[in-house]
Amino acid sequence: MAKGFMKTTKKKAVAPAKAAKKVVKKVVKKKVVVKAATKTEESILSVPHIIGKKRDGKRLTAEEIKWFVDRYTSKIIPDYQMSALLMAMYINGMSTEETAALTDTMLYSGTIIKLDDPTVIDKHSTGGIGDKTTFVVAPIAAAAGVKVPSIAGRGLGFTGGTVDKIEAIKGYQTAVTLEQYQKLLMENGLVLMGQTGDFAPADKVIYALRDVTATVSSIPLITASIMSKKLAEGLAGIVLDVKYGAGAFMKEWKDARALAQSLADTAARFDKKSMVFLTDMSQPLGITVGNSLEVIECIELLKGNAPKDLYDICIELSGGMIFLAGLAKNHKEGMAKAKAMVESGAALKKFEQMIAAQGGDASYVHDYSLFPTAAKRREVCANADGYIASFENEEIGHMCTELGGGRKVANAPIDHGVGFSFHKKIGDKIKKGDLLVTIHYNADQELLCETLAQRFINVIIKVSSKKVPAPKLIAERILR
Ligand code: URA
């Protein structure tokens, strides 16, 4: 293990035999270790009791949460009972204390790296349609001297996943050991990996279950999921991109604001610096949705050919990381450095270096024909003059899943080649016959493709005869 790294020991779940004794009824005298907890309540360690308690809108104790989650992670509690608890948590919400207990349980389910390095800063987005910023933000920040330990996720609900997308590049290893993690971070200043059994393994299994049980868009569940894996990385600070709108888990600004607060509070509870951005997700970010398509779009950005919204948001986020790392005196200077990393080609070089270091074929960066692509294209054109008014953005994610670009069943394989290219944004003036969307699909999907094309015209893209203002990309920046 390299200098500067310290591993905490793994906390083991309660052994089944011992736990069985506790199942019936137990009054906990011991104070539960959760900073935010205000009082010690009675815990009853029984699976149906805990599910029923949450179903009835009551608060769970920290011990009940830990006991349940540890036993699920250890495969003692089956998926159907965890799914029931997640749905009850989703519907009835969780208090600050419960959220803290869930975050802590998930964080301590695995190894926590401790680094005394103020330049270790990560970024995390709550996810949305066409959200691909990690592929740009991570190499920009790393090129500027930030150490970026990015543990990313697979597709979740209707959104695509960073790990699924980068696996479009042949050979790229998202499964990285702790030793490789520290080597990559120290030598290249950048790791982009999936969750392993080491970091927050409880989140890994619960995340996959939430993906297929419609239990994603919940403030406490998202807070615990994001912060447990991020806090395990050994970071000094984090930039959080909280999305709101039709293509985000938080549809309303006020819910996104509450999520931003919850994430920032959790970061502060662990003495981490944070910068939270509230950003628009009312339309796809950038110009593509789909695994290979999105990676190619990011490589193009790093080569200087960027859609404006994607470029602006990436510069804001990476500028925030450079600032939090202490490599710029304020956010503005951080953004100027971020721009320089794109202009000089340093960020593109860092991206190539990352691909090669994690076993991928870096020639994909210069030869897009190597990417898995769909065999066919279908153009969808406007049937009226007017202005693009809105997108049913979440639907776009579901349609990508229908084509095979996302999952309907946990751990199913995905098709990297399918997806959509968008040619217009909200507020754009259009004429009948203008190209709006290109569908990338496979030869055996003619009928499905036709249905999707009709859906784009009749349901997804709304056209107004009156001028429509473009949405504000960044609504708020919160620095803690
Ligand atoms: N990203 C995560 O890592 N977890 C969530 O629950 C949502 C977004």
Side-chain angles (χ1 to χ4, degrees), residues 143-190:
V146 180
K147 293 197 184 78
V148 187
S150 204
I151 300 179
R154 296 200 176 273
L156 186 65
F158 55 86
T159 68
T162 303
V163 167
D164 291 326
K165 292 172 196 174
I166 197 72
E167 284 176 352
I169 295 178
K170 198 173 160 197
Y172 189 92
Q173 293 304 314
T174 53
V176 166
T177 65
L178 272 181
E179 283 66 31
Q180 289 167 328
Y181 169 82
Q182 69 186 62
K183 191 167 180 288
L184 290 165
L185 191 60
M186 288 302 144
E187 288 178 5
N188 296 345
L190 176 58

mmCIF file of all heavy atoms in Angstrom, residues 143-190:
data_model
loop_
_atom_site.group_PDB
_atom_site.id
_atom_site.type_symbol
_atom_site.label_atom_id
_atom_site.label_comp_id
_atom_site.label_asym_id
_atom_site.label_seq_id
_atom_site.Cartn_x
_atom_site.Cartn_y
_atom_site.Cartn_z
ATOM 1 N N ALA A 143 -5.910 17.238 -15.559
ATOM 2 C CA ALA A 143 -4.860 17.923 -16.324
ATOM 3 C C ALA A 143 -4.395 19.189 -15.603
ATOM 4 O O ALA A 143 -3.243 19.611 -15.735
ATOM 5 C CB ALA A 143 -5.374 18.265 -17.724
ATOM 6 N N ALA A 144 -5.308 19.768 -14.800
ATOM 7 C CA ALA A 144 -4.952 20.999 -14.070
ATOM 8 C C ALA A 144 -4.299 20.709 -12.717
ATOM 9 O O ALA A 144 -4.008 21.628 -11.961
ATOM 10 C CB ALA A 144 -6.206 21.853 -13.866
ATOM 11 N N GLY A 145 -4.135 19.429 -12.374
ATOM 12 C CA GLY A 145 -3.430 19.082 -11.140
ATOM 13 C C GLY A 145 -4.299 18.524 -10.023
ATOM 14 O O GLY A 145 -3.796 18.190 -8.949
ATOM 15 N N VAL A 146 -5.617 18.408 -10.271
ATOM 16 C CA VAL A 146 -6.506 17.814 -9.264
ATOM 17 C C VAL A 146 -6.334 16.295 -9.332
ATOM 18 O O VAL A 146 -6.140 15.740 -10.414
ATOM 19 C CB VAL A 146 -7.990 18.182 -9.570
ATOM 20 C CG1 VAL A 146 -8.933 17.583 -8.537
ATOM 21 C CG2 VAL A 146 -8.169 19.692 -9.656
ATOM 22 N N LYS A 147 -6.429 15.609 -8.190
ATOM 23 C CA LYS A 147 -6.460 14.136 -8.221
ATOM 24 C C LYS A 147 -7.932 13.730 -8.182
ATOM 25 O O LYS A 147 -8.646 14.054 -7.231
ATOM 26 C CB LYS A 147 -5.689 13.552 -7.041
ATOM 27 C CG LYS A 147 -4.203 13.817 -7.128
ATOM 28 C CD LYS A 147 -3.415 12.901 -6.207
ATOM 29 C CE LYS A 147 -1.940 13.281 -6.248
ATOM 30 N NZ LYS A 147 -1.650 14.489 -5.439
ATOM 31 N N VAL A 148 -8.358 13.048 -9.227
ATOM 32 C CA VAL A 148 -9.791 12.760 -9.384
ATOM 33 C C VAL A 148 -10.061 11.265 -9.201
ATOM 34 O O VAL A 148 -9.729 10.464 -10.066
ATOM 35 C CB VAL A 148 -10.288 13.221 -10.786
ATOM 36 C CG1 VAL A 148 -11.797 13.070 -10.882
ATOM 37 C CG2 VAL A 148 -9.871 14.658 -11.076
ATOM 38 N N PRO A 149 -10.699 10.906 -8.077
ATOM 39 C CA PRO A 149 -10.964 9.494 -7.812
ATOM 40 C C PRO A 149 -12.409 9.152 -8.150
ATOM 41 O O PRO A 149 -13.245 9.034 -7.265
ATOM 42 C CB PRO A 149 -10.750 9.407 -6.309
ATOM 43 C CG PRO A 149 -11.208 10.747 -5.796
ATOM 44 C CD PRO A 149 -11.089 11.744 -6.920
ATOM 45 N N SER A 150 -12.718 8.959 -9.397
ATOM 46 C CA SER A 150 -14.118 8.885 -9.782
ATOM 47 C C SER A 150 -14.678 7.464 -9.733
ATOM 48 O O SER A 150 -14.366 6.633 -10.571
ATOM 49 C CB SER A 150 -14.260 9.457 -11.190
ATOM 50 O OG SER A 150 -15.565 9.886 -11.367
ATOM 51 N N ILE A 151 -15.516 7.217 -8.719
ATOM 52 C CA ILE A 151 -16.230 5.928 -8.680
ATOM 53 C C ILE A 151 -17.626 6.208 -9.213
ATOM 54 O O ILE A 151 -18.391 6.947 -8.611
ATOM 55 C CB ILE A 151 -16.313 5.360 -7.253
ATOM 56 C CG1 ILE A 151 -14.900 5.145 -6.707
ATOM 57 C CG2 ILE A 151 -17.096 4.053 -7.248
ATOM 58 C CD1 ILE A 151 -14.855 4.618 -5.292
ATOM 59 N N ALA A 152 -17.899 5.637 -10.360
ATOM 60 C CA ALA A 152 -19.157 5.959 -11.037
ATOM 61 C C ALA A 152 -20.104 4.760 -11.009
ATOM 62 O O ALA A 152 -19.724 3.664 -10.609
ATOM 63 C CB ALA A 152 -18.855 6.376 -12.466
ATOM 64 N N GLY A 153 -21.328 5.013 -11.495
ATOM 65 C CA GLY A 153 -22.346 3.964 -11.443
ATOM 66 C C GLY A 153 -22.756 3.495 -12.825
ATOM 67 O O GLY A 153 -22.391 4.086 -13.844
ATOM 68 N N ARG A 154 -23.530 2.416 -12.830
ATOM 69 C CA ARG A 154 -24.157 1.959 -14.077
ATOM 70 C C ARG A 154 -25.473 2.706 -14.244
ATOM 71 O O ARG A 154 -25.835 3.524 -13.400
ATOM 72 C CB ARG A 154 -24.393 0.441 -14.007
ATOM 73 C CG ARG A 154 -23.090 -0.331 -13.927
ATOM 74 C CD ARG A 154 -23.240 -1.780 -14.347
ATOM 75 N NE ARG A 154 -21.926 -2.412 -14.332
ATOM 76 C CZ ARG A 154 -21.069 -2.414 -15.354
ATOM 77 N NH1 ARG A 154 -21.394 -1.834 -16.482
ATOM 78 N NH2 ARG A 154 -19.889 -2.993 -15.255
ATOM 79 N N GLY A 155 -26.178 2.425 -15.342
ATOM 80 C CA GLY A 155 -27.459 3.081 -15.589
ATOM 81 C C GLY A 155 -28.359 2.910 -14.379
ATOM 82 O O GLY A 155 -28.301 1.890 -13.688
ATOM 83 N N LEU A 156 -29.174 3.924 -14.127
ATOM 84 C CA LEU A 156 -30.062 3.880 -12.970
ATOM 85 C C LEU A 156 -31.413 4.432 -13.413
ATOM 86 O O LEU A 156 -31.485 5.562 -13.893
ATOM 87 C CB LEU A 156 -29.465 4.735 -11.845
ATOM 88 C CG LEU A 156 -30.168 4.724 -10.497
ATOM 89 C CD1 LEU A 156 -30.102 3.338 -9.858
ATOM 90 C CD2 LEU A 156 -29.533 5.733 -9.550
ATOM 91 N N GLY A 157 -32.463 3.636 -13.220
ATOM 92 C CA GLY A 157 -33.789 4.083 -13.637
ATOM 93 C C GLY A 157 -33.767 4.422 -15.125
ATOM 94 O O GLY A 157 -33.293 3.648 -15.942
ATOM 95 N N PHE A 158 -34.228 5.617 -15.456
ATOM 96 C CA PHE A 158 -34.302 6.017 -16.871
ATOM 97 C C PHE A 158 -33.019 6.690 -17.346
ATOM 98 O O PHE A 158 -32.926 7.102 -18.493
ATOM 99 C CB PHE A 158 -35.510 6.951 -17.098
ATOM 100 C CG PHE A 158 -35.502 8.151 -16.197
ATOM 101 C CD1 PHE A 158 -34.809 9.297 -16.544
ATOM 102 C CD2 PHE A 158 -36.187 8.133 -14.992
ATOM 103 C CE1 PHE A 158 -34.787 10.406 -15.715
ATOM 104 C CE2 PHE A 158 -36.178 9.242 -14.143
ATOM 105 C CZ PHE A 158 -35.473 10.383 -14.509
ATOM 106 N N THR A 159 -32.010 6.830 -16.463
ATOM 107 C CA THR A 159 -30.773 7.506 -16.864
ATOM 108 C C THR A 159 -29.682 6.495 -17.216
ATOM 109 O O THR A 159 -29.645 5.397 -16.671
ATOM 110 C CB THR A 159 -30.233 8.421 -15.742
ATOM 111 O OG1 THR A 159 -29.791 7.601 -14.656
ATOM 112 C CG2 THR A 159 -31.285 9.377 -15.242
ATOM 113 N N GLY A 160 -28.788 6.907 -18.101
ATOM 114 C CA GLY A 160 -27.651 6.063 -18.456
ATOM 115 C C GLY A 160 -26.588 6.137 -17.359
ATOM 116 O O GLY A 160 -26.647 6.993 -16.474
ATOM 117 N N GLY A 161 -25.606 5.251 -17.419
ATOM 118 C CA GLY A 161 -24.569 5.232 -16.382
ATOM 119 C C GLY A 161 -23.188 5.434 -16.988
ATOM 120 O O GLY A 161 -22.884 4.915 -18.066
ATOM 121 N N THR A 162 -22.348 6.174 -16.258
ATOM 122 C CA THR A 162 -20.982 6.461 -16.708
ATOM 123 C C THR A 162 -20.201 5.170 -16.986
ATOM 124 O O THR A 162 -19.477 5.065 -17.977
ATOM 125 C CB THR A 162 -20.275 7.305 -15.626
ATOM 126 O OG1 THR A 162 -21.055 8.478 -15.428
ATOM 127 C CG2 THR A 162 -18.874 7.693 -16.016
ATOM 128 N N VAL A 163 -20.360 4.191 -16.084
ATOM 129 C CA VAL A 163 -19.611 2.935 -16.233
ATOM 130 C C VAL A 163 -20.058 2.187 -17.496
ATOM 131 O O VAL A 163 -19.225 1.689 -18.265
ATOM 132 C CB VAL A 163 -19.798 2.067 -14.956
ATOM 133 C CG1 VAL A 163 -19.323 0.644 -15.177
ATOM 134 C CG2 VAL A 163 -19.053 2.700 -13.797
ATOM 135 N N ASP A 164 -21.352 2.137 -17.738
ATOM 136 C CA ASP A 164 -21.841 1.479 -18.968
ATOM 137 C C ASP A 164 -21.299 2.187 -20.208
ATOM 138 O O ASP A 164 -20.919 1.556 -21.184
ATOM 139 C CB ASP A 164 -23.379 1.517 -19.018
ATOM 140 C CG ASP A 164 -24.004 0.627 -17.955
ATOM 141 O OD1 ASP A 164 -23.413 -0.430 -17.650
ATOM 142 O OD2 ASP A 164 -25.076 0.989 -17.439
ATOM 143 N N LYS A 165 -21.269 3.508 -20.143
ATOM 144 C CA LYS A 165 -20.859 4.279 -21.330
ATOM 145 C C LYS A 165 -19.383 4.054 -21.651
ATOM 146 O O LYS A 165 -19.022 3.788 -22.796
ATOM 147 C CB LYS A 165 -21.135 5.781 -21.105
ATOM 148 C CG LYS A 165 -22.623 6.108 -21.047
ATOM 149 C CD LYS A 165 -22.894 7.553 -20.633
ATOM 150 C CE LYS A 165 -24.349 7.719 -20.215
ATOM 151 N NZ LYS A 165 -24.675 9.026 -19.673
ATOM 152 N N ILE A 166 -18.523 4.133 -20.642
ATOM 153 C CA ILE A 166 -17.079 4.022 -20.905
ATOM 154 C C ILE A 166 -16.722 2.608 -21.361
ATOM 155 O O ILE A 166 -15.727 2.403 -22.074
ATOM 156 C CB ILE A 166 -16.240 4.475 -19.672
ATOM 157 C CG1 ILE A 166 -14.784 4.758 -20.055
ATOM 158 C CG2 ILE A 166 -16.274 3.476 -18.554
ATOM 159 C CD1 ILE A 166 -14.544 5.988 -20.857
ATOM 160 N N GLU A 167 -17.547 1.626 -20.989
ATOM 161 C CA GLU A 167 -17.278 0.252 -21.436
ATOM 162 C C GLU A 167 -17.536 0.065 -22.937
ATOM 163 O O GLU A 167 -17.269 -1.009 -23.472
ATOM 164 C CB GLU A 167 -18.100 -0.747 -20.607
ATOM 165 C CG GLU A 167 -17.499 -0.943 -19.225
ATOM 166 C CD GLU A 167 -18.306 -1.854 -18.304
ATOM 167 O OE1 GLU A 167 -19.433 -2.245 -18.668
ATOM 168 O OE2 GLU A 167 -17.799 -2.156 -17.219
ATOM 169 N N ALA A 168 -18.002 1.122 -23.600
ATOM 170 C CA ALA A 168 -18.093 1.077 -25.069
ATOM 171 C C ALA A 168 -16.687 0.976 -25.661
ATOM 172 O O ALA A 168 -16.504 0.550 -26.797
ATOM 173 C CB ALA A 168 -18.811 2.321 -25.589
ATOM 174 N N ILE A 169 -15.696 1.401 -24.899
ATOM 175 C CA ILE A 169 -14.292 1.320 -25.364
ATOM 176 C C ILE A 169 -13.722 -0.041 -24.984
ATOM 177 O O ILE A 169 -13.658 -0.388 -23.793
ATOM 178 C CB ILE A 169 -13.450 2.471 -24.758
ATOM 179 C CG1 ILE A 169 -13.982 3.811 -25.296
ATOM 180 C CG2 ILE A 169 -11.965 2.290 -25.068
ATOM 181 C CD1 ILE A 169 -13.294 5.038 -24.767
ATOM 182 N N LYS A 170 -13.352 -0.791 -25.996
ATOM 183 C CA LYS A 170 -12.898 -2.176 -25.801
ATOM 184 C C LYS A 170 -11.720 -2.247 -24.818
ATOM 185 O O LYS A 170 -10.767 -1.483 -24.936
ATOM 186 C CB LYS A 170 -12.478 -2.742 -27.155
ATOM 187 C CG LYS A 170 -12.419 -4.244 -27.172
ATOM 188 C CD LYS A 170 -12.179 -4.719 -28.577
ATOM 189 C CE LYS A 170 -11.645 -6.136 -28.536
ATOM 190 N NZ LYS A 170 -11.040 -6.504 -29.798
ATOM 191 N N GLY A 171 -11.839 -3.170 -23.896
ATOM 192 C CA GLY A 171 -10.733 -3.429 -22.973
ATOM 193 C C GLY A 171 -10.753 -2.578 -21.717
ATOM 194 O O GLY A 171 -10.080 -2.908 -20.745
ATOM 195 N N TYR A 172 -11.505 -1.472 -21.717
ATOM 196 C CA TYR A 172 -11.470 -0.557 -20.575
ATOM 197 C C TYR A 172 -11.966 -1.278 -19.321
ATOM 198 O O TYR A 172 -13.076 -1.814 -19.294
ATOM 199 C CB TYR A 172 -12.329 0.688 -20.833
ATOM 200 C CG TYR A 172 -12.139 1.758 -19.771
ATOM 201 C CD1 TYR A 172 -11.200 2.754 -19.926
ATOM 202 C CD2 TYR A 172 -12.887 1.733 -18.603
ATOM 203 C CE1 TYR A 172 -11.005 3.723 -18.945
ATOM 204 C CE2 TYR A 172 -12.700 2.693 -17.612
ATOM 205 C CZ TYR A 172 -11.756 3.683 -17.794
ATOM 206 O OH TYR A 172 -11.569 4.643 -16.816
ATOM 207 N N GLN A 173 -11.137 -1.274 -18.282
ATOM 208 C CA GLN A 173 -11.469 -1.985 -17.047
ATOM 209 C C GLN A 173 -12.102 -1.047 -16.031
ATOM 210 O O GLN A 173 -11.443 -0.145 -15.515
ATOM 211 C CB GLN A 173 -10.193 -2.590 -16.430
ATOM 212 C CG GLN A 173 -9.570 -3.703 -17.238
ATOM 213 C CD GLN A 173 -10.549 -4.833 -17.515
ATOM 214 O OE1 GLN A 173 -11.257 -5.282 -16.619
ATOM 215 N NE2 GLN A 173 -10.613 -5.270 -18.770
ATOM 216 N N THR A 174 -13.374 -1.281 -15.749
ATOM 217 C CA THR A 174 -14.023 -0.458 -14.714
ATOM 218 C C THR A 174 -13.921 -1.139 -13.347
ATOM 219 O O THR A 174 -14.142 -0.508 -12.322
ATOM 220 C CB THR A 174 -15.506 -0.211 -15.051
ATOM 221 O OG1 THR A 174 -16.127 -1.474 -15.291
ATOM 222 C CG2 THR A 174 -15.652 0.676 -16.269
ATOM 223 N N ALA A 175 -13.566 -2.428 -13.354
ATOM 224 C CA ALA A 175 -13.365 -3.142 -12.081
ATOM 225 C C ALA A 175 -11.894 -2.977 -11.694
ATOM 226 O O ALA A 175 -11.008 -3.554 -12.326
ATOM 227 C CB ALA A 175 -13.717 -4.605 -12.239
ATOM 228 N N VAL A 176 -11.655 -2.173 -10.690
ATOM 229 C CA VAL A 176 -10.287 -1.803 -10.310
ATOM 230 C C VAL A 176 -10.062 -2.205 -8.846
ATOM 231 O O VAL A 176 -10.923 -1.960 -8.001
ATOM 232 C CB VAL A 176 -10.119 -0.268 -10.509
ATOM 233 C CG1 VAL A 176 -8.878 0.252 -9.841
ATOM 234 C CG2 VAL A 176 -10.126 0.079 -11.992
ATOM 235 N N THR A 177 -8.924 -2.822 -8.548
ATOM 236 C CA THR A 177 -8.647 -3.215 -7.155
ATOM 237 C C THR A 177 -8.186 -1.986 -6.364
ATOM 238 O O THR A 177 -7.815 -0.960 -6.955
ATOM 239 C CB THR A 177 -7.529 -4.271 -7.090
ATOM 240 O OG1 THR A 177 -6.326 -3.651 -7.569
ATOM 241 C CG2 THR A 177 -7.850 -5.510 -7.907
ATOM 242 N N LEU A 178 -8.164 -2.138 -5.051
ATOM 243 C CA LEU A 178 -7.709 -1.028 -4.202
ATOM 244 C C LEU A 178 -6.280 -0.614 -4.541
ATOM 245 O O LEU A 178 -5.945 0.564 -4.574
ATOM 246 C CB LEU A 178 -7.740 -1.456 -2.735
ATOM 247 C CG LEU A 178 -9.045 -1.253 -1.978
ATOM 248 C CD1 LEU A 178 -8.885 -1.717 -0.543
ATOM 249 C CD2 LEU A 178 -9.448 0.213 -2.008
ATOM 250 N N GLU A 179 -5.433 -1.612 -4.816
ATOM 251 C CA GLU A 179 -4.023 -1.329 -5.132
ATOM 252 C C GLU A 179 -3.932 -0.564 -6.454
ATOM 253 O O GLU A 179 -3.195 0.415 -6.576
ATOM 254 C CB GLU A 179 -3.208 -2.630 -5.213
ATOM 255 C CG GLU A 179 -2.851 -3.245 -3.869
ATOM 256 C CD GLU A 179 -4.068 -3.747 -3.080
ATOM 257 O OE1 GLU A 179 -5.069 -4.174 -3.731
ATOM 258 O OE2 GLU A 179 -4.040 -3.698 -1.845
ATOM 259 N N GLN A 180 -4.714 -1.033 -7.451
ATOM 260 C CA GLN A 180 -4.704 -0.321 -8.748
ATOM 261 C C GLN A 180 -5.240 1.093 -8.572
ATOM 262 O O GLN A 180 -4.744 2.046 -9.168
ATOM 263 C CB GLN A 180 -5.564 -1.084 -9.771
ATOM 264 C CG GLN A 180 -4.944 -2.378 -10.236
ATOM 265 C CD GLN A 180 -5.962 -3.239 -10.985
ATOM 266 O OE1 GLN A 180 -7.157 -3.234 -10.710
ATOM 267 N NE2 GLN A 180 -5.474 -3.985 -11.954
ATOM 268 N N TYR A 181 -6.272 1.217 -7.748
ATOM 269 C CA TYR A 181 -6.899 2.526 -7.502
ATOM 270 C C TYR A 181 -5.856 3.532 -7.011
ATOM 271 O O TYR A 181 -5.720 4.628 -7.533
ATOM 272 C CB TYR A 181 -8.026 2.345 -6.482
ATOM 273 C CG TYR A 181 -8.600 3.621 -5.916
ATOM 274 C CD1 TYR A 181 -9.560 4.352 -6.612
ATOM 275 C CD2 TYR A 181 -8.193 4.113 -4.670
ATOM 276 C CE1 TYR A 181 -10.088 5.521 -6.092
ATOM 277 C CE2 TYR A 181 -8.716 5.284 -4.146
ATOM 278 C CZ TYR A 181 -9.665 5.979 -4.855
ATOM 279 O OH TYR A 181 -10.180 7.143 -4.352
ATOM 280 N N GLN A 182 -5.077 3.120 -5.994
ATOM 281 C CA GLN A 182 -4.121 4.062 -5.417
ATOM 282 C C GLN A 182 -2.996 4.362 -6.401
ATOM 283 O O GLN A 182 -2.528 5.495 -6.490
ATOM 284 C CB GLN A 182 -3.574 3.555 -4.092
ATOM 285 C CG GLN A 182 -2.682 2.365 -4.200
ATOM 286 C CD GLN A 182 -2.298 1.834 -2.826
ATOM 287 O OE1 GLN A 182 -3.145 1.405 -2.053
ATOM 288 N NE2 GLN A 182 -1.033 1.874 -2.512
ATOM 289 N N LYS A 183 -2.605 3.344 -7.181
ATOM 290 C CA LYS A 183 -1.522 3.543 -8.148
ATOM 291 C C LYS A 183 -1.978 4.529 -9.242
ATOM 292 O O LYS A 183 -1.278 5.492 -9.567
ATOM 293 C CB LYS A 183 -1.172 2.182 -8.770
ATOM 294 C CG LYS A 183 0.090 2.156 -9.589
ATOM 295 C CD LYS A 183 0.498 0.699 -9.877
ATOM 296 C CE LYS A 183 1.753 0.600 -10.693
ATOM 297 N NZ LYS A 183 1.642 0.973 -12.065
ATOM 298 N N LEU A 184 -3.186 4.296 -9.769
ATOM 299 C CA LEU A 184 -3.705 5.165 -10.837
ATOM 300 C C LEU A 184 -3.874 6.597 -10.336
ATOM 301 O O LEU A 184 -3.526 7.561 -11.023
ATOM 302 C CB LEU A 184 -5.054 4.636 -11.347
ATOM 303 C CG LEU A 184 -5.001 3.338 -12.145
ATOM 304 C CD1 LEU A 184 -6.384 2.718 -12.284
ATOM 305 C CD2 LEU A 184 -4.411 3.595 -13.535
ATOM 306 N N LEU A 185 -4.401 6.728 -9.125
ATOM 307 C CA LEU A 185 -4.649 8.069 -8.594
ATOM 308 C C LEU A 185 -3.339 8.815 -8.371
ATOM 309 O O LEU A 185 -3.222 10.000 -8.706
ATOM 310 C CB LEU A 185 -5.439 7.958 -7.279
ATOM 311 C CG LEU A 185 -6.004 9.255 -6.730
ATOM 312 C CD1 LEU A 185 -6.972 9.899 -7.719
ATOM 313 C CD2 LEU A 185 -6.707 9.028 -5.396
ATOM 314 N N MET A 186 -2.341 8.127 -7.835
ATOM 315 C CA MET A 186 -1.066 8.788 -7.544
ATOM 316 C C MET A 186 -0.268 9.054 -8.826
ATOM 317 O O MET A 186 0.329 10.099 -8.992
ATOM 318 C CB MET A 186 -0.229 7.944 -6.573
ATOM 319 C CG MET A 186 -0.784 7.957 -5.174
ATOM 320 S SD MET A 186 -0.881 9.654 -4.524
ATOM 321 C CE MET A 186 -2.381 9.584 -3.576
ATOM 322 N N GLU A 187 -0.279 8.085 -9.754
ATOM 323 C CA GLU A 187 0.574 8.229 -10.946
ATOM 324 C C GLU A 187 -0.072 9.085 -12.043
ATOM 325 O O GLU A 187 0.583 9.880 -12.685
ATOM 326 C CB GLU A 187 0.928 6.849 -11.508
ATOM 327 C CG GLU A 187 1.929 6.145 -10.604
ATOM 328 C CD GLU A 187 2.290 4.752 -11.070
ATOM 329 O OE1 GLU A 187 1.839 4.340 -12.168
ATOM 330 O OE2 GLU A 187 3.024 4.072 -10.331
ATOM 331 N N ASN A 188 -1.389 8.882 -12.277
ATOM 332 C CA ASN A 188 -2.047 9.606 -13.375
ATOM 333 C C ASN A 188 -2.917 10.755 -12.889
ATOM 334 O O ASN A 188 -3.385 11.556 -13.675
ATOM 335 C CB ASN A 188 -2.964 8.676 -14.179
ATOM 336 C CG ASN A 188 -2.195 7.582 -14.885
ATOM 337 O OD1 ASN A 188 -0.981 7.672 -15.006
ATOM 338 N ND2 ASN A 188 -2.894 6.579 -15.349
ATOM 339 N N GLY A 189 -3.211 10.754 -11.585
ATOM 340 C CA GLY A 189 -4.101 11.779 -11.037
ATOM 341 C C GLY A 189 -5.547 11.550 -11.440
ATOM 342 O O GLY A 189 -6.375 12.462 -11.288
ATOM 343 N N LEU A 190 -5.869 10.351 -11.912
ATOM 344 C CA LEU A 190 -7.232 10.124 -12.422
ATOM 345 C C LEU A 190 -7.569 8.637 -12.435
ATOM 346 O O LEU A 190 -6.824 7.819 -12.962
ATOM 347 C CB LEU A 190 -7.300 10.685 -13.852
ATOM 348 C CG LEU A 190 -8.576 10.510 -14.663
ATOM 349 C CD1 LEU A 190 -9.765 11.117 -13.950
ATOM 350 C CD2 LEU A 190 -8.417 11.173 -16.035
#
